[in-house]
Amino acid sequence: MPVLHQMQVSGNCYKVRLAACQLGVKLTLRDYGLLEGATRQPDFLAKNPNGRVPLLELDDGRTLAESDAILFYLSEGTRLLPDERWQRAEVLQWMFFEQYSHEPYIAVARFWLAFAPKQELEKKRHLVPEWHSRGNAALGVMQTHLSRHDWFAGGRYSIADIALYGYTHCAADGGFDLGAYPAVDAWLRRVAGEPGHIPLEATW
Ligand SMILES: N[C@@H](CCC(=O)N[C@@H](CS)C(=O)NCC(=O)O)C(=O)O
């Protein structure tokens, strides 16, 4: 069975668990602590030189890093990834948006404000306003799109929604007020209502 190297509280790892659960893909979970630098040890670096989870390890030893690449791999040929050319490109558009304009601010604010040791946070405190400003800009882009569409790509629920759900649904942990984004809030409820949905805390 493929192994998902992961951290339970990570939104990036949650994306993969959520998609796997909804697709009925069985994975063995191998957990790493958030703060101990476990993914920076030689054993793990041999699997992913970038020292980060999630990492999918197949039975034949191949490894795949980057949450959205793993989502793409798991969902090929399933209802979570359209097969039409334009719609697939829309999926990628939103996943690249998530990685460049959303996750670096919303996930990072959540990590430092909700999980990092307080003395470490103090060294980063001056960055918080920029994380909030850029994260709110990303939420504004989502709000604009979701004011006119139910889903991000292809007119239906897909891995683009899963990629953006990962850190949007827990953005309050990083000091973001989702009440300012009613269309995003409504979309969060639609995503949570999809068949097979699991919360971030769920183990399996
Ligand atoms: N772009 C990557 C980001 C992965 C990432 O930042 N992983 C964090 C957990 S969310 C991690 O492994 N942190 C441990 C470390 O950097 O040492 C993805 O989407 O998978």
Side-chain angles (χ1 to χ4, degrees), residues 3-23:
V3 175
L4 180 66
H5 299 266
Q6 67 131 20
M7 293 171 185
Q8 186 66 30
V9 298
S10 152
N12 285 318
C13 299
Y14 170 51
K15 296 173 197 173
V16 178
R17 293 197 306 275
L18 175 54
C21 199
Q22 293 187 308
L23 292 171

Side-chain angles (χ1 to χ4, degrees), residues 22-38:
Q22 293 187 308
L23 292 171
V25 174
K26 300 268 181 275
L27 299 172
T28 299
L29 301 185
R30 169 125 188 249
D31 286 302
Y32 296 78
L34 184 60
L35 301 173
E36 301 91 64

Side-chain angles (χ1 to χ4, degrees), residues 7 10 12 39-40 51-54 66-67 99 103 167:
M7 293 171 185
S10 152
N12 285 318
T39 59
R40 303 294 168 150
R52 289 184 170 87
V53 290
E66 296 295 330
S67 57
Q99 286 284 295
E103 194 262 11
Y167 282 106

Side-chain angles (χ1 to χ4, degrees), residues 102-136:
H102 179 287
E103 194 262 11
Y105 310 110
I106 296 180
V108 167
R110 174 176 178 261
F111 171 77
W112 286 102
L113 292 172
F115 296 101
K118 283 277 167 289
Q119 67 274 19
E120 296 300 316
L121 167 61
E122 288 322 312
K123 295 180 203 158
K124 300 277 181 180
R125 184 70 75 182
H126 61 289
L127 296 172
V128 173
E130 175 159 8
W131 295 336
H132 282 166
S133 156
R134 290 179 182 257
N136 277 306

Side-chain angles (χ1 to χ4, degrees), residues 135-146:
N136 277 306
L139 292 168
V141 170
M142 294 171 67
Q143 169 70 21
T144 300
H145 178 84
L146 291 167

